[in-house]
Amino acid sequence: MALDTRAIHAGRDDLVDLGVHAIPLDLSTTYPARDSSAEAARLDVLATGEMDGGLPIYGRVSNPTVARFETALAELEGCEAGVAFASGMAALSACLLAAVVQGKPHVVAVRPLYGTTDHLVASGLLGTFVTWASPDTVAQSIRPDTGLVIVESPANPTLTEVDIARLAEAAGDVPLLVDNTFATPVLQRPAEHGAKIVLHSATKFLGGHGDVMGGIIACDEEYARVLRQLRFVTGGILHPMAGYLLLRGLSTLPVRIRAASANAAELAQRLKDHPKVERVHYPKLGGALVSIEVAGDPLAVISAVRVFTPAVSLGSVDSLIQHPGSLTHRIMEPDDRKDAGISEQLLRLSVGLEDVEDLWQDIDQALQKA
Ligand SMILES: *Cc1c(COP(=O)(O)O)cnc(C)c1O
């Protein structure tokens, strides 16, 4: 079935048989059982990261509402499994820890990346160490102890795109992690191009309304088991309420992405001719994000917007604008920002679902103040 259909029905196959329309929200932290020896046997299975579909035992191990979201996102990405976390960074942390525990702490990463991702990888806080590569130097950067290749496409905040199939080939046996937060499975499914690990900050487009934090990895079942084991001991689980909201968000994801992308493409086109705009970054792939390099003071633009919301984050129904140099990518060293091609004149726009003429008038009048 088509993606639009699956976005609405995935993770909900059993609802008619259950006789409910909305998915059950299970807030239990623990699950009573009279037979402790049977429960002990189940715990042994769950500790290996296997999901046997049996009754849950404890909220840190599994949750039925969260499992629906995991099933649905995995299906949309064309992957065997999904493993959900409390945030995008918790999801990334699990992948870095997986590389470390597998004795392969070396990471090859391509800039630019989301600021906190860059910082986590650059700082080696979780015991990894990095070689920064360009798409052309990934293959030669791989070593026997390389456990992960990390890339974002389109990348935050410059919207730079990479050829995922080429990178997957360059990575060889090393798992390629693609952060697909910006494209979403509506525009791009990295697993179809050879990526082994697909990461989302679900906080962004998957939730889509700026009211839920989450992260998720779509991957094969073997890697999912490793991640579930790590999640079980480190505790970075997704809250069931978040799982509920994220599954609801998925059902409107295709229409939201298409409508927001149409607005963004129109704004990108008009911004190219704006006298206060020196450069427009808009991916070939499309999408709801546009980045611009402005002539003059970028912070003056932020304080002048009235329809755009001046805030970090992205992927909401409302349009947001922020200055990466001050906010999302502030945690990076200034030289690293430069290395990643993030200009101090850069503003990142996450285009929402408002009327495009209202958005245009707003950004146009704000740019006059730059
Ligand atoms: C926001 C973001 C993250 C981090 O996700 P959180 O949910 O904020 O932890 C990772 N990657 C990209 C591309 C992001 O935009």
Side-chain angles (χ1 to χ4, degrees), residues 45-313:
V45 173
L46 291 170
T48 67
E50 190 182 324
M51 289 303 216
D52 62 0
L55 291 173
I57 294 175
Y58 186 57
R60 180 157 38 72
V61 185
S62 68
N63 172 276
T65 307
V66 170
R68 290 178 184 277
F69 167 59
E70 292 175 328
T71 303
L73 191 275
E75 191 178 324
L76 297 187
E77 285 288 3
C79 295
E80 279 174 6
V83 185
F85 293 86
S87 68
M89 291 315 298
L92 178 68
S93 296
C95 296
L96 292 172
L97 286 175
V100 171
V101 298
Q102 287 169 347
K104 297 194 167 187
H106 178 245
V107 170
V108 175
V110 179
R111 277 180 168 141
L113 297 167
Y114 171 62
T116 316
T117 300
D118 190 297
H119 173 67
L120 180 58
V121 169
S123 65
L125 272 171
L126 293 176
T128 57
F129 60 100
V130 64
T131 300
W132 295 105
S134 74
D136 291 333
T137 61
V138 164
Q140 72 204 56
S141 306
I142 306 270
R143 319 176 347 168
D145 61 348
T146 307
L148 208 54
V149 175
I150 301 180
V151 67
E152 276 175 24
S153 187
N156 192 348
T158 57
L159 309 176
T160 311
E161 292 169 279
V162 299
D163 181 338
I164 294 172
R166 232 187 97 220
L167 272 193
E169 205 180 302
D173 292 339
V174 179
L176 171 66
L177 181 155
V178 176
D179 185 327
N180 203 31
T181 300
F182 276 24
T184 83
V186 176
L187 298 179
Q188 163 178 283
R189 290 172 294 281
E192 289 175 0
H193 305 289
K196 186 159 182 217
I197 306 165
V198 182
L199 182 145
H200 282 275
S201 168
T203 315
K204 315 292 170 50
F205 290 105
L206 305 190
H209 296 73
D211 57 3
V212 52
M213 290 213 75
I216 187 160
I217 303 290
C219 55
D220 63 21
E221 176 57 24
E222 190 188 350
Y223 192 72
R225 285 183 193 189
V226 177
L227 294 181
R228 290 189 203 110
Q229 282 181 315
L230 283 165
R231 186 179 59 177
F232 171 54
V233 293
T234 55
I237 52 149
L238 187 72
H239 190 274
M241 185 68 203
Y244 179 94
L245 289 171
L246 289 170
L247 188 71
R248 188 166 77 166
L250 285 188
S251 57
T252 54
L253 183 69
V255 275
R256 281 189 286 110
I257 292 292
R258 278 197 296 269
S261 299
N263 277 354
E266 178 64 27
L267 290 184
Q269 194 56 41
R270 295 189 193 183
L271 285 163
K272 275 185 192 138
D273 299 324
H274 199 285
K276 287 291 179 76
V277 175
E278 286 178 342
R279 195 169 162 202
V280 176
H281 303 254
Y282 188 66
K284 285 199 217 52
L285 189 71
L289 283 121
V290 183
S291 290
I292 54 176
E293 287 171 46
V294 297
D297 180 6
L299 301 188
V301 180
I302 305 262
S303 53
V305 291
R306 290 295 177 267
V307 179
F308 275 80
T309 306
V312 295
S313 199

